[in-house]
Amino acid sequence: MTQRLAPIAKEATIGELAQRSGVAPSALRFYESEGLITSRRTTGNQRRYSRDTLRRVAFIRTSQQLGMPLATIREVLALLPDDRTPTRADWARISECWRDDLDTRIRTLQRLRDNLTDCIGCGCLSLSRCALSNTLDALGSRGPGPRRLVEEKVPCATGSCEAGAAAEDQEDVSA
């Protein structure tokens, strides 16, 4: 059973924070070395974390699960006040920082899901005809990275794999 932080305790040890957050002490030390969380040191050089660190750790873990880079997480956490426990308004303000980015990530994940469903469902299983294939790197002219995932219009999401393959064949000829 997960231990609760004592209601009267203003601080938590690294072990208490680790147990309550479900994050290993080594990860907490890493977050601290990366400037994502802070602690004070006792006279015996032991870490003590303020109670609001638990929320910060939850925010970091959730952000990582969404694919946010640590540098971006650090930038957003820097907007929270250091001199007091962040309020609901503080958290709402920083959540707005990511609204557009999260919306873009959601659209990208939906395109990935839809492409995989359509293309697996078509049954072609042929790299020479599949719209997900990138024969002769024709998509390289559109920019770096997985173009079909980052661009709004994806062949398999708008039609059959064969229709997408025909469009790609046209691109190969003109390239």
Side-chain angles (χ1 to χ4, degrees):
M1 183 163 92
T2 302
Q3 181 181 355
R4 295 172 134 190
L5 295 180
I8 58 171
K10 294 182 180 184
E11 296 179 317
T13 66
I14 193 167
E16 291 167 336
L17 184 61
Q19 185 174 22
R20 178 62 183 89
S21 66
V23 175
S26 59
L28 295 173
R29 287 189 289 274
F30 173 73
Y31 292 160
E32 191 170 349
S33 72
E34 290 294 311
L36 300 169
I37 61 175
T38 59
S39 69
R40 75 168 185 86
R41 297 297 182 120
T42 66
T43 55
N45 203 29
Q46 296 175 332
R47 290 176 166 86
R48 294 292 187 264
Y49 296 94
S50 63
R51 290 182 66 86
D52 64 283
T53 305
L54 185 58
R55 280 199 184 101
R56 290 175 191 254
V57 171
F59 180 80
I60 293 164
R61 297 297 289 191
T62 302
S63 301
Q64 286 180 305
Q65 288 174 347
L66 295 173
M68 297 294 182
L70 286 180
T72 304
I73 297 169
R74 185 182 311 105
E75 288 173 12
V76 172
L77 285 174
L79 300 174
L80 290 175
D82 288 330
D83 58 338
R84 63 175 170 75
T85 300
T87 63
R88 181 181 301 270
D90 293 324
W91 287 107
R93 183 174 40 90
I94 69 165
S95 71
E96 285 299 315
C97 295
W98 288 356
R99 184 168 298 280
D100 290 340
D101 188 31
L102 288 174
D103 287 342
T104 300
R105 287 173 187 268
I106 289 168
R107 285 191 306 273
T108 300
L109 286 170
Q110 288 172 331
R111 281 195 307 273
L112 176 61
R113 177 203 60 209
D114 294 346
N115 278 335
L116 289 176
T117 300
D118 289 347
C119 287
I120 291 170
C122 81
C124 75
L125 301 176
S126 168
L127 289 178
S128 63
R129 295 184 313 168
C130 184
L132 285 180
S133 173
N134 185 15
T135 308
L136 302 175
D137 194 24
L139 296 175
S141 63
R142 294 187 194 170
R147 301 316 311 159
R148 288 200 174 101
L149 290 179
V150 297
E151 293 174 359
E152 291 293 325
K153 193 173 186 180
V154 181
C156 280
T158 58
S160 72
C161 283
E162 290 179 16
E168 187 172 288
D169 289 343
Q170 202 60 337
E171 287 176 4
D172 287 346
V173 171
S174 62

